[in-house]
mmCIF file of all heavy atoms in Angstrom:
data_model
loop_
_atom_site.group_PDB
_atom_site.id
_atom_site.type_symbol
_atom_site.label_atom_id
_atom_site.label_comp_id
_atom_site.label_asym_id
_atom_site.label_seq_id
_atom_site.Cartn_x
_atom_site.Cartn_y
_atom_site.Cartn_z
ATOM 1 N N LEU A 103 46.531 61.118 3.780
ATOM 2 C CA LEU A 103 45.566 60.481 2.892
ATOM 3 C C LEU A 103 44.250 61.252 2.925
ATOM 4 O O LEU A 103 43.925 61.911 3.906
ATOM 5 C CB LEU A 103 45.295 59.023 3.327
ATOM 6 C CG LEU A 103 46.529 58.144 3.510
ATOM 7 C CD1 LEU A 103 46.098 56.760 3.966
ATOM 8 C CD2 LEU A 103 47.301 58.059 2.220
ATOM 9 N N THR A 104 43.474 61.154 1.879
ATOM 10 C CA THR A 104 42.142 61.714 1.849
ATOM 11 C C THR A 104 41.157 60.579 1.930
ATOM 12 O O THR A 104 41.147 59.728 1.065
ATOM 13 C CB THR A 104 41.904 62.498 0.549
ATOM 14 O OG1 THR A 104 42.898 63.503 0.475
ATOM 15 C CG2 THR A 104 40.535 63.142 0.535
ATOM 16 N N LEU A 105 40.350 60.537 2.993
ATOM 17 C CA LEU A 105 39.485 59.390 3.208
ATOM 18 C C LEU A 105 38.007 59.752 3.228
ATOM 19 O O LEU A 105 37.211 59.152 2.536
ATOM 20 C CB LEU A 105 39.854 58.684 4.527
ATOM 21 C CG LEU A 105 41.247 58.076 4.597
ATOM 22 C CD1 LEU A 105 41.434 57.417 5.947
ATOM 23 C CD2 LEU A 105 41.452 57.084 3.492
ATOM 24 N N ILE A 106 37.606 60.688 4.065
ATOM 25 C CA ILE A 106 36.186 60.904 4.244
ATOM 26 C C ILE A 106 35.850 62.377 4.185
ATOM 27 O O ILE A 106 36.672 63.229 4.464
ATOM 28 C CB ILE A 106 35.688 60.313 5.588
ATOM 29 C CG1 ILE A 106 36.425 60.950 6.762
ATOM 30 C CG2 ILE A 106 35.889 58.824 5.607
ATOM 31 C CD1 ILE A 106 35.920 60.476 8.091
ATOM 32 N N SER A 107 34.630 62.698 3.821
ATOM 33 C CA SER A 107 34.201 64.079 3.728
ATOM 34 C C SER A 107 33.680 64.554 5.070
ATOM 35 O O SER A 107 33.143 63.787 5.862
ATOM 36 C CB SER A 107 33.099 64.206 2.670
ATOM 37 O OG SER A 107 32.012 63.372 2.999
ATOM 38 N N CYS A 108 33.880 65.818 5.327
ATOM 39 C CA CYS A 108 33.479 66.380 6.609
ATOM 40 C C CYS A 108 32.065 66.923 6.493
ATOM 41 O O CYS A 108 31.859 68.124 6.309
ATOM 42 C CB CYS A 108 34.445 67.490 7.018
ATOM 43 S SG CYS A 108 34.113 68.179 8.643
ATOM 44 N N ASP A 109 31.089 66.037 6.552
ATOM 45 C CA ASP A 109 29.694 66.453 6.466
ATOM 46 C C ASP A 109 28.885 65.613 7.433
ATOM 47 O O ASP A 109 29.418 64.886 8.247
ATOM 48 C CB ASP A 109 29.164 66.324 5.026
ATOM 49 C CG ASP A 109 29.366 64.920 4.469
ATOM 50 O OD1 ASP A 109 29.490 63.986 5.276
ATOM 51 O OD2 ASP A 109 29.405 64.776 3.244
ATOM 52 N N ALA A 110 27.582 65.674 7.309
ATOM 53 C CA ALA A 110 26.709 64.981 8.261
ATOM 54 C C ALA A 110 26.888 63.473 8.210
ATOM 55 O O ALA A 110 26.728 62.789 9.224
ATOM 56 C CB ALA A 110 25.255 65.348 7.979
ATOM 57 N N THR A 111 27.226 62.941 7.021
ATOM 58 C CA THR A 111 27.355 61.488 6.904
ATOM 59 C C THR A 111 28.561 60.960 7.662
ATOM 60 O O THR A 111 28.645 59.779 7.963
ATOM 61 C CB THR A 111 27.479 61.083 5.421
ATOM 62 O OG1 THR A 111 28.609 61.735 4.854
ATOM 63 C CG2 THR A 111 26.240 61.475 4.646
ATOM 64 N N THR A 112 29.535 61.833 7.965
ATOM 65 C CA THR A 112 30.713 61.406 8.713
ATOM 66 C C THR A 112 30.322 60.837 10.065
ATOM 67 O O THR A 112 30.931 59.884 10.557
ATOM 68 C CB THR A 112 31.676 62.594 8.909
ATOM 69 O OG1 THR A 112 32.048 63.104 7.635
ATOM 70 C CG2 THR A 112 32.924 62.153 9.645
ATOM 71 N N LYS A 113 29.317 61.398 10.689
ATOM 72 C CA LYS A 113 28.869 60.921 11.991
ATOM 73 C C LYS A 113 28.407 59.471 11.897
ATOM 74 O O LYS A 113 28.590 58.697 12.831
ATOM 75 C CB LYS A 113 27.746 61.813 12.521
ATOM 76 C CG LYS A 113 28.188 63.248 12.818
ATOM 77 C CD LYS A 113 27.038 64.084 13.339
ATOM 78 C CE LYS A 113 27.489 65.506 13.643
ATOM 79 N NZ LYS A 113 26.376 66.343 14.136
ATOM 80 N N GLU A 114 27.797 59.100 10.773
ATOM 81 C CA GLU A 114 27.363 57.725 10.592
ATOM 82 C C GLU A 114 28.571 56.816 10.343
ATOM 83 O O GLU A 114 28.537 55.627 10.635
ATOM 84 C CB GLU A 114 26.392 57.630 9.419
ATOM 85 C CG GLU A 114 25.111 58.454 9.618
ATOM 86 C CD GLU A 114 24.185 58.353 8.418
ATOM 87 O OE1 GLU A 114 24.360 57.393 7.624
ATOM 88 O OE2 GLU A 114 23.301 59.194 8.285
ATOM 89 N N PHE A 115 29.616 57.380 9.787
ATOM 90 C CA PHE A 115 30.818 56.622 9.483
ATOM 91 C C PHE A 115 31.539 56.196 10.759
ATOM 92 O O PHE A 115 32.066 55.099 10.861
ATOM 93 C CB PHE A 115 31.736 57.500 8.623
ATOM 94 C CG PHE A 115 32.778 56.737 7.860
ATOM 95 C CD1 PHE A 115 32.423 55.752 6.944
ATOM 96 C CD2 PHE A 115 34.116 57.019 8.027
ATOM 97 C CE1 PHE A 115 33.381 55.066 6.228
ATOM 98 C CE2 PHE A 115 35.090 56.328 7.322
ATOM 99 C CZ PHE A 115 34.711 55.354 6.411
#
Side-chain angles (χ1 to χ4, degrees):
L103 307 179
T104 302
L105 296 181
I106 59 176
S107 58
C108 184
D109 55 23
T111 58
T112 302
K113 295 180 180 179
E114 299 179 19
F115 199 59

